[in-house]
Amino acid sequence: KQQSKMSANLRKKLLFFMSNSHPVSQFSQQLPTLSRFEHKFSTDLDEIKAWDHYGNIDGIISQPIGAKQAFPTILSENRSIQWVHSLMAGVDAILVPELVKSDIIVTNAKGAYSEGLSEFTMSAILSYYK
């Protein structure tokens, strides 16, 4: 049991700043590599603060809704955060002053939706002219 507790302490702690009903949350159940991480899905600050690993979060994967309100507290109380990822192409919804002033790496989903969006656009054009 001691070995299990030690290995759990070595695993990275990821906060998925999104609700349990978010499609990423639903998909995550099928993601075997996620079991290598301690993780939490929530946008509720009280619920996040109650998480056993709060204070030692290594990274955040975030939807933009609610981030501006919650991030200042989360960032100031979790000095171990090294990475924040926005599920959107833009990052303006998550760029709070605490994040801008820090050395935390910020990434986004730029280009992740490009192919699907272009296929939809071409399909709509072809359908219209049919």
Side-chain angles (χ1 to χ4, degrees), residues 90-107:
V91 294
D92 55 321
I94 65 170
L95 285 181
V96 295
E98 294 81 358
L99 184 56
V100 173
K101 294 178 202 169
S102 74
D103 292 331
I104 296 171
I105 296 167
V106 178
T107 58

Side-chain angles (χ1 to χ4, degrees), residues 14-18 24 59-63 71 83-87:
L14 291 177
L15 171 62
F16 288 83
F17 191 80
M18 60 192 73
V24 171
I60 301 174
I61 298 174
S62 179
Q63 67 179 14
F71 273 25
W83 172 61
V84 174
H85 178 75
S86 170
L87 291 175

Side-chain angles (χ1 to χ4, degrees), residues 15-117:
L15 171 62
F16 288 83
F17 191 80
M18 60 192 73
S19 69
N20 282 326
S21 62
H22 193 281
V24 171
S25 172
Q26 305 304 312
F27 175 72
S28 72
Q29 307 306 321
Q30 303 165 18
L31 208 60
T33 54
L34 195 55
S35 65
R36 297 189 325 219
F37 300 94
E38 298 295 331
H39 61 280
K40 174 84 174 158
F41 283 89
S42 183
T43 55
D44 181 273
L45 192 53
D46 292 331
E47 187 177 303
I48 293 168
K49 285 183 167 192
W51 185 32
D52 291 344
H53 301 291
Y54 188 78
N56 297 304
I57 296 171
D58 296 301
I60 301 174
I61 298 174
S62 179
Q63 67 179 14
I65 301 167
K68 282 229 191 251
Q69 293 78 23
F71 273 25
T73 301
I74 294 170
L75 293 169
S76 66
E77 295 177 358
N78 290 272
R79 299 286 183 192
S80 56
I81 295 174
Q82 300 170 8
W83 172 61
V84 174
H85 178 75
S86 170
L87 291 175
M88 307 301 284
V91 294
D92 55 321
I94 65 170
L95 285 181
V96 295
E98 294 81 358
L99 184 56
V100 173
K101 294 178 202 169
S102 74
D103 292 331
I104 296 171
I105 296 167
V106 178
T107 58
N108 64 7
K110 180 182 177 191
Y113 310 106
S114 299
E115 187 175 328
L117 189 56

